[in-house]
Structures are given as structure tokens and as C-alpha cells.
Amino acid sequence: MAGLKYYERTKLLIELIEKKKTGSPGELSKKIGVSKRMIFLILDDLRLALERDICYCKSSKSYIFTELECKSRD
């Protein structure tokens, strides 16, 4: 059961990143229902699994997928 929740949360996170609607880490943790620390752990797992970089874009106030390495990972 816990694995399914993790999968659903990860899938939701991917959808929010693709739409550029994650908000700040604090806002994102509330949307998904986990702690900020868990958000960072899920993002690290996604970076490894998808082999894409994920960065926080201050101008769009959202995490985004990038092909290039980010200067700052917050």
C-alpha cells in the first residue's frame, strides 16, 4: 500500500513539473501531502530514474525539467 502511495505521489509530481505548477517546495509539499524533506527525496529519485535534471526556476516559481545541468538545486 505504501508503495502505491509513493507511486501516485511521484506521478502527480511529474505532472506538476511538466505543467510548471509545483510552486515552492513548501507549497508543493502541501499539494502532495508529504514533508519538504520527502519532496527532495522524491526529486532525487526522479533525477536518477528519468536521467533528466530537475531545477527550481525562480521566475516561474516551479520545478522544471531541464536537459542541461542547473546552477542551483533548491
Side-chain angles (χ1 to χ4, degrees), residues 25-50:
E27 293 168 339
L28 182 56
S29 69
K30 290 176 186 174
K31 286 179 185 178
I32 294 184
V34 297
S35 67
K36 281 178 33 175
R37 180 67 193 136
M38 181 58 78
I39 293 295
F40 297 127
L41 292 173
I42 296 171
L43 288 170
D44 286 343
D45 287 347
L46 283 176
R47 286 181 181 110
L48 292 173
L50 300 177

Side-chain angles (χ1 to χ4, degrees), residues 46-61:
L46 283 176
R47 286 181 181 110
L48 292 173
L50 300 177
E51 296 181 359
R52 294 177 73 186
D53 208 4
I54 303 169
C55 299
Y56 185 76
C57 177
K58 292 180 182 179
S59 62
S60 65
K61 296 181 182 173

Side-chain angles (χ1 to χ4, degrees), residues 1-15 32:
M1 184 81 157
L4 186 59
K5 284 185 181 179
Y6 184 83
Y7 170 78
E8 291 169 349
R9 289 177 179 148
T10 303
K11 185 178 175 187
L12 176 58
L13 179 55
I14 291 170
E15 289 173 10
I32 294 184

